[in-house]
Amino acid sequence: MRFEEIRVGSVLVAKVLDGRIAADVAPRFKSKLAEYMVDGNRSIVIDLGSVSFIDSSGLGALVSSLKSMGKDGDLVISSAQGTVATMFKLTRMDKVFRMYDNCDAAVAALS
Amino acid sequence: MRFEEIRVGSVLVAKVLDGRIAADVAPRFKSKLAEYMVDGNRSIVIDLGSVSFIDSSGLGALVSSLKSMGKDGDLVISSAQGTVATMFKLTRMDKVFRMYDNCDAAVAALS
Amino acid sequence: MSRFRISIESDLAAVFVVSVLVRGVCEHLGMDSAETSSIEICAVEAVTNSIKHAYDCAHGREVCVELLYTQDRLRLVVQDDGVSMPDQHRRTLTTGSNVFGFDPADLDRIPECGMGLEIIRQAMDEISYSTIGGTNSLNMTKFLRKREPQGILACNAPS
Amino acid sequence: MSRFRISIESDLAAVFVVSVLVRGVCEHLGMDSAETSSIEICAVEAVTNSIKHAYDCAHGREVCVELLYTQDRLRLVVQDDGVSMPDQHRRTLTTGSNVFGFDPADLDRIPECGMGLEIIRQAMDEISYSTIGGTNSLNMTKFLRKREPQGILACNAPS
Ligand SMILES: Nc1ncnc2c1ncn2[C@@H]1O[C@H](COP(=O)(O)OP(=O)(O)O)[C@@H](O)[C@H]1O
Ligand SMILES: Nc1ncnc2c1ncn2[C@@H]1O[C@H](COP(=O)(O)OP(=O)(O)O)[C@@H](O)[C@H]1O
């Protein structure tokens, strides 16, 4: 999987560059998110603006990371659109994650 | 097939609204072009800007119309791009038809 | 009725092609993006399940997706010849599961898996699962919203 | 090696799905748009030929397209079980035809048909046609340009 990582103050913005987060890459996605937390990041924006598809195992990886983060920090989602936004809604995950329309709004909320 | 037809002075601009001109619609495409000529049009721009694919039977329909028009008038192509432009090149039809980057340039050339 | 059938190898890296096909056909049919998305999601979840659960991720097996449609409905049939779906999960397809009944604030209870079948149940209008002669078939039908007949836009007269 | 197989009905209105599939796979593989276009064109011309010439446009028959690829080549196999291609046209696939040797100014001689096989011959790197047990197979291979391995862009460290 390919990511673009930008640090804005104390916030890590991780933009997923792959167009799909599905079962073939979900384990790698999950371990990448775990790595961010091991590295000490406590404010993470996952930017899904370049992702056109996520399946239930991709969502599962995000949920797993949200649980690991727990009350120690924030893991939020930005720029979900199209099928990705539909998937969050179908699964009610849009109620579980803090979702922001764009990356700037997400960073502002965590800063 | 769907077309958008605009008259600019003596020039008829026929924009193909379908995304494909392939064997299933080529006969209809050909008869539509014939109709334009029967209606007395002698300066015709075929705007392919919304077409993402043309096959050899679509090109054949255009060649047939070009022959019908003969020396009595002009039938030119505008806005061919991507796979459509590749197809004109592969078949050397870009040497047969007058091709314009956009509709305005084509209309200007025929006015 | 039109019909396509695609067969892919039992490799999770090949599932993208199901998206490509389903999305391409839905767009070609003029479906709106919400309908297209939900059908794409169901197709991918179903094929992924065949690879993960029927074949336990073993490579070299085959999953078939058949796509049939008329003006008012689209049917997806996903077939494998692996281990059949256990009864308790088949029941999810008919009576539903409570996997999305969570309290969003109760983090520990948010599901990380077990969502696929319930997504399919909620997004599709008719579902059945059968095993005949070693072939498992998951049948999913979506009733389509009325679309503008294409003819309405056709052939505006020159102005 | 990865492999997909799609079967479509012998209906010209179904050929678009071949475009959808071939284009989607090529884009997924990161091919450039010129390569993608020429492979899409060849696939469509070949399938259209099977429907028009092997089946004489009769509905209810089947055309299969198999797509196989490795890092450095992509193979398309188009199969029908209709009338086989006559020898004279098979020769086009090996020795080529002069259909594009026209003088652009000599309007009467510009071809309106007979272009498909020569397009395929020019765009593809290896071509063969065979009939085995009633099944005709047109085999087309394209050698792919070197692409950036995906890993190069992977996982930039946080700055
Ligand atoms: N095609 C299938 N073949 C066999 N078993 C299946 C199939 N699809 C689903 N199952 C069973 O149903 C369970 C629930 O599936 P699902 O809701 O998609 O969630 P998940 O795949 O995350 O477990 C699976 O864990 C599996 O035991
Ligand atoms: N798959 C096929 N099966 C049988 N005959 C074929 C097939 N493909 C091509 N042919 C024969 O070769 C001829 C040339 O084909 P092609 O170059 O594609 O041009 P066109 O389809 O416009 O005739 C066809 O007219 C047909 O006689």
Side-chain angles (χ1 to χ4, degrees):
Chain A
M1 286 190 81
R2 298 174 305 135
F3 295 85
E4 182 184 82
E5 290 143 0
I6 299 166
R7 187 166 298 286
V8 186
S10 62
V11 179
L12 172 69
V13 178
K15 184 177 169 91
V16 180
L17 299 179
D18 294 32
R20 295 176 67 83
I21 310 176
D24 53 337
V25 299
R28 269 172 279 165
F29 183 48
K30 188 165 158 178
S31 45
K32 188 74 190 171
L33 298 178
E35 216 178 287
Y36 291 147
M37 286 182 273
V38 168
D39 289 349
N41 291 290
R42 290 294 170 269
S43 297
I44 304 177
V45 176
I46 308 294
D47 182 338
L48 300 178
S50 294
V51 178
S52 59
F53 187 85
I54 189 166
D55 76 354
S56 65
S57 59
L59 282 184
L62 284 169
V63 171
S64 163
S65 311
L66 190 69
K67 289 179 182 174
S68 306
M69 185 68 95
K71 303 211 182 307
D72 298 348
D74 296 297
L75 178 85
V76 307
I77 306 292
S78 88
S79 318
Q81 37 162 344
T83 307
V84 174
T86 302
M87 190 67 178
F88 273 87
K89 271 187 219 112
L90 277 178
T91 59
R92 293 183 70 228
M93 292 299 168
D94 60 335
K95 309 262 181 278
V96 173
F97 289 90
R98 285 158 63 193
M99 318 269 302
Y100 296 91
D101 282 351
N102 56 63
C103 193
D104 290 347
V107 169
L110 298 196
S111 296
Chain B
M1 288 190 80
R2 296 174 304 135
F3 295 84
E4 181 183 82
E5 291 143 0
I6 300 168
R7 187 166 300 285
V8 187
S10 62
V11 179
L12 172 69
V13 178
K15 184 176 168 95
V16 180
L17 298 178
D18 294 31
R20 299 176 65 82
I21 309 176
D24 53 337
V25 298
R28 268 171 280 165
F29 184 47
K30 190 165 155 178
S31 46
K32 188 75 190 169
L33 298 179
E35 215 178 289
Y36 291 147
M37 286 181 276
V38 168
D39 289 348
N41 291 291
R42 288 295 170 267
S43 298
I44 304 177
V45 176
I46 307 294
D47 182 338
L48 299 179
S50 295
V51 179
S52 58
F53 187 85
I54 189 166
D55 76 353
S56 65
S57 59
L59 282 185
L62 284 169
V63 171
S64 163
S65 311
L66 190 69
K67 290 179 182 174
S68 306
M69 185 70 94
K71 303 214 183 306
D72 300 346
D74 297 296
L75 178 85
V76 308
I77 306 291
S78 87
S79 318
Q81 39 163 344
T83 306
V84 174
T86 302
M87 190 67 179
F88 274 87
K89 271 187 218 110
L90 278 177
T91 57
R92 292 183 70 230
M93 292 299 167
D94 59 335
K95 309 265 182 275
V96 174
F97 289 90
R98 285 157 65 191
M99 317 269 300
Y100 296 91
D101 282 352
N102 55 62
C103 193
D104 291 346
V107 169
L110 298 197
S111 298
Chain C
M1 175 154 59
S2 296
R3 156 196 263 138
F4 303 109
R5 197 180 161 80
I6 188 168
S7 105
I8 69 167
E9 278 182 296
S10 52
D11 178 346
L12 291 174
V15 177
F16 81 91
V17 81
V18 174
S19 274
V20 162
L21 181 73
V22 170
R23 173 159 288 279
V25 170
C26 290
E27 284 171 355
H28 184 86
L29 294 177
M31 281 183 212
D32 66 32
S33 64
E35 261 180 342
T36 301
S37 290
S38 67
I39 295 170
E40 178 186 8
I41 289 167
C42 292
V44 169
E45 293 290 337
V47 171
T48 301
N49 276 350
S50 285
I51 297 174
K52 274 188 170 175
H53 305 305
Y55 295 136
D56 201 15
C57 290
H59 284 205
R61 309 289 294 269
E62 192 180 31
V63 182
C64 278
V65 181
E66 196 167 29
L67 223 153
L68 306 96
Y69 53 85
T70 57
Q71 269 296 103
D72 64 351
R73 64 182 62 197
L74 184 145
R75 190 145 70 101
L76 277 171
V77 184
V78 174
Q79 293 186 315
D80 64 65
D81 52 8
V83 176
S84 300
M85 195 185 301
D87 280 344
Q88 88 201 77
H89 295 297
R90 292 189 199 201
R91 250 171 272 133
T92 302
L93 290 173
T94 46
T95 55
S97 87
N98 197 33
V99 66
F100 300 131
F102 54 75
D103 168 5
D106 187 358
L107 196 54
D108 290 344
R109 300 266 172 86
I110 311 297
E112 292 174 46
C113 61
M115 296 181 261
L117 295 180
E118 181 63 10
I119 290 171
I120 292 170
R121 191 189 68 82
Q122 292 189 8
M124 287 286 171
D125 295 306
E126 284 179 0
I127 306 166
S128 67
Y129 182 89
S130 62
T131 304
I132 297 170
T135 299
N136 306 305
S137 303
L138 177 60
N139 248 279
M140 301 173 274
T141 301
K142 179 94 180 165
F143 303 139
L144 303 177
R145 271 174 232 152
K146 282 246 159 42
R147 278 157 287 145
E148 295 285 300
Q150 294 221 336
I152 280 187
L153 267 173
C155 303
N156 307 323
S159 56
Chain D
M1 174 153 60
S2 296
R3 157 197 264 138
F4 303 109
R5 195 179 162 80
I6 187 168
S7 104
I8 68 165
E9 278 182 295
S10 53
D11 178 346
L12 291 174
V15 177
F16 81 92
V17 82
V18 173
S19 274
V20 162
L21 181 75
V22 170
R23 173 157 290 275
V25 170
C26 290
E27 284 171 356
H28 184 86
L29 293 176
M31 281 183 211
D32 67 32
S33 63
E35 260 179 342
T36 300
S37 289
S38 67
I39 295 169
E40 179 186 8
I41 289 166
C42 292
V44 169
E45 293 290 337
V47 172
T48 301
N49 276 348
S50 286
I51 297 174
K52 275 188 172 176
H53 304 306
Y55 295 136
D56 200 14
C57 290
H59 285 206
R61 310 289 296 268
E62 193 179 30
V63 182
C64 278
V65 181
E66 196 166 30
L67 223 153
L68 305 95
Y69 54 86
T70 58
Q71 269 297 102
D72 63 351
R73 65 182 62 197
L74 184 144
R75 191 145 70 99
L76 276 172
V77 185
V78 175
Q79 294 186 317
D80 64 63
D81 52 9
V83 176
S84 301
M85 197 186 301
D87 280 345
Q88 88 202 77
H89 296 297
R90 292 189 199 202
R91 251 172 271 132
T92 301
L93 290 173
T94 47
T95 55
S97 87
N98 198 35
V99 66
F100 301 130
F102 54 75
D103 169 4
D106 187 358
L107 196 53
D108 289 344
R109 299 266 173 85
I110 310 299
E112 293 175 45
C113 62
M115 298 182 259
L117 295 180
E118 181 65 9
I119 290 171
I120 292 170
R121 192 190 67 83
Q122 293 190 8
M124 287 286 170
D125 295 306
E126 283 178 3
I127 306 165
S128 67
Y129 182 89
S130 62
T131 304
I132 297 171
T135 299
N136 307 304
S137 302
L138 176 61
N139 249 278
M140 302 172 273
T141 301
K142 178 94 182 165
F143 302 139
L144 303 178
R145 274 174 229 148
K146 282 244 160 42
R147 277 157 290 145
E148 295 284 301
Q150 294 222 335
I152 280 188
L153 267 173
C155 304
N156 308 323
S159 55

